[in-house]
Amino acid sequence: MRFVSAEQVAQLAGVSRSAVSRTFTEGASVAPATREKVLKAAEELGYHVNDLARGVLANQSRLVGVVATKPEIGFRAHLTAALTKALIRRGSIPVLINTGETEEELLAAQKMLIGHRAEATVILSGSPPASFFELAQRNGQPLVVIGRAEPDADRVLAGNAEASREAAEVFVAAGHRRLAVIGSHSATPSIAERENAFVAAAHAAGFDVRIAHGRDSDYDSGIIAARTLFAEGERPDAIFCANDLLAFGAMDVIRQEFGLTIPEDVALIGFDDVPEAAWLSYSLTTFRQDPAAIAARAVMLLDRRQQNPDEPRACERVIPQLVFRKSFAGS
């Protein structure tokens, strides 16, 4: 691969190599006539500044790693999109590392990013080991973790517990007594926190909760969990689902396999408010997480850390808001 060089631009424009460099350096002094000739030659040749080389010289790559597992699924897809857009507006170059959740995979992703001199890393998935944070600290690389309470990194957290307690409270206030929650066996910290907070709030109000888990936190797992709830024991009349994908699977099973109506026979509340939640076939009442707001907080933490490297670790909370639709209309 042969990229157009600054030397070629200089030859076509009839100017020095340093004049080309000054033309593309913000704030550098260059005569208007020279600038015009350089820009015209660059346009004709298709020349672009070698930002990689400049980054190496300045020890600043502008790369920001985004580490995520299954970034194409559910709310994480919208959060990944919002985060990459926010980083681009910041002037950064997002690099998405689609990796697993094991310590080995996370460390491999980190070493790759440090090897390419990424100036920061944002983690959307997994629980990094202590060595992850130690390596970042030794290399002066800021870390922001989204959705998990890591004391060794700046973090953005959703109000999982607050929202889940509210779900239990509104169910009880609406007269529901046979409560259930759908989570997953491979729960992320956020999914587990939602399930636990809902159960605790229901118990505090004097109600038992049936718990059903799918294998993962996706649509198919919602199907499996709903089949368990409705095939065995007393059928619930209200279900809190730890995310919207689980809720979609549960709703389809409730209607199509058990012939029940929503919300007359069973009320449901989800979590995330992905766009499909507003589809007419679901019309899911759910807690809205704003991916743009979460991304903005993450970028703010990156900026703050780069400006003040020695400040104590910070935590930003974004509280989800309950959006009422037809799966549960309230009291």
Side-chain angles (χ1 to χ4, degrees), residues 9-250:
V9 175
Q11 291 175 1
L12 182 59
V15 300
S16 67
R17 170 66 177 77
S18 63
V20 175
S21 178
R22 292 197 306 275
T23 297
F24 290 100
T25 301
E26 186 176 355
S29 176
V30 60
T34 300
R35 180 186 300 277
E36 183 178 350
K37 287 192 291 185
V38 170
L39 292 177
K40 182 179 178 181
E43 178 70 21
E44 183 176 334
L45 292 171
Y47 170 77
H48 290 274
V49 173
N50 187 341
D51 286 323
L52 181 61
R54 286 191 172 187
V56 170
L57 291 173
N59 198 27
Q60 190 175 40
S61 69
R62 293 168 53 210
L63 300 177
V64 174
V66 178
V67 179
T69 303
K70 299 179 181 177
E72 73 281 5
I73 294 178
F75 177 73
R76 196 173 297 153
H78 303 284
L79 178 56
T80 301
L83 182 59
T84 53
K85 288 178 183 177
L87 289 170
I88 290 170
R89 286 194 299 270
R90 179 183 186 256
S92 301
I93 303 169
V95 178
L96 176 62
I97 307 294
N98 183 354
T99 187
E101 296 186 358
T102 67
E103 292 186 2
E104 293 78 10
E105 290 170 317
L106 287 167
L107 282 171
Q110 184 191 34
K111 290 176 181 177
M112 182 187 303
L113 290 168
I114 288 178
H116 286 80
R117 297 300 186 262
E119 67 178 46
T121 297
V122 182
I123 303 170
L124 305 186
S125 308
S127 296
S131 56
F132 192 104
F133 299 102
E134 292 167 4
L135 184 58
Q137 193 168 28
R138 286 200 300 270
N139 284 275
Q141 186 191 64
L143 293 176
V144 173
V145 180
I146 297 179
R148 44 203 24 86
E150 297 288 351
D152 294 322
D154 295 314
R155 53 205 179 274
V156 183
L157 298 176
N160 292 310
E162 297 93 327
S164 302
R165 286 194 294 267
E166 183 180 353
E169 290 165 2
V170 298
F171 276 153
V172 171
H176 295 287
R177 298 295 180 263
R178 303 189 307 277
L179 307 182
V181 61
I182 290 179
S184 74
H185 288 297
S186 61
T188 64
S190 293
I191 295 291
E193 184 180 8
R194 294 167 198 171
E195 178 185 318
N196 294 336
F198 180 85
V199 171
H203 286 171
F207 298 96
D208 291 330
V209 179
R210 292 188 61 196
I211 301 172
H213 291 145
R215 181 184 62 259
D216 210 333
S217 304
D218 55 13
Y219 176 85
D220 289 340
S221 295
I223 289 176
I224 293 168
R227 285 172 178 163
T228 300
L229 285 176
F230 286 88
E232 305 171 1
E234 186 178 31
R235 290 179 173 179
D237 64 1
I239 305 173
F240 175 56
C241 298
N243 72 16
D244 289 347
L245 296 184
L246 292 166
F248 298 152

Side-chain angles (χ1 to χ4, degrees), residues 254-290:
I254 290 167
R255 289 169 172 157
Q256 297 181 30
E257 295 187 10
F258 292 92
L260 301 174
T261 58
I262 299 172
E264 290 79 9
D265 295 319
V266 188
L268 284 95
I269 294 177
F271 203 110
D272 285 337
D273 196 27
V274 297
E276 295 86 347
W279 289 4
L280 294 177
S281 58
Y282 293 117
S283 191
L284 176 65
T285 294
T286 185
F287 287 93
R288 172 165 173 72
Q289 293 203 86
D290 185 345

